[in-house]
Amino acid sequence: MAVPPSPTLLMVIDVLDEDTGLADIEDELGRTLVLPAAWLPGARDGAAYHARTGDSGITFTPAPDGARLLRERSKQTLLDFSDEHSPDDDRSTP
């Protein structure tokens, strides 16, 4: 039975450790992962990829604009965040 195509997941290499051959990755969901750099075509700091699962496993496709897109998404998340609280949240005692 064939696995239906999944949506892609955008990820960016934060740090590439050439000594260990591992890449610290951040994905668009805000998770951090460590993957073998050999899995990522043209692995280098700041390189972005679309990850997709399928019948043959996971494929990583370079995403030339991916790092910029992920930064813009992160900025929007920060703009949407508010640290304001309502008066009901004041738990101080008189």
Side-chain angles (χ1 to χ4, degrees):
M1 173 184 254
V3 176
S6 66
T8 61
L9 180 68
L10 183 61
M11 51 181 43
V12 175
I13 296 178
D14 284 334
V15 177
L16 178 62
D17 185 338
E18 294 181 15
D19 293 333
T20 64
L22 298 174
D24 291 339
I25 306 288
E26 180 180 351
D27 72 13
E28 65 185 297
L29 301 176
R31 300 176 296 193
T32 55
L33 315 157
V34 177
L35 297 175
W39 292 1
L40 307 167
R44 60 178 168 65
D45 288 344
Y49 302 89
H50 292 289
R52 180 185 299 269
T53 58
D55 289 339
S56 61
I58 301 173
T59 57
F60 298 97
T61 308
D65 243 8
R68 182 185 58 79
L69 294 171
L70 194 60
R71 279 193 309 273
E72 286 178 5
R73 182 174 294 189
S74 295
K75 285 180 191 175
Q76 187 59 46
T77 300
L78 290 172
L79 291 173
D80 291 343
F81 176 77
S82 172
D83 62 352
E84 295 178 14
H85 66 277
S86 68
D88 294 337
D89 288 343
D90 188 7
R91 293 183 173 85
S92 61
T93 56

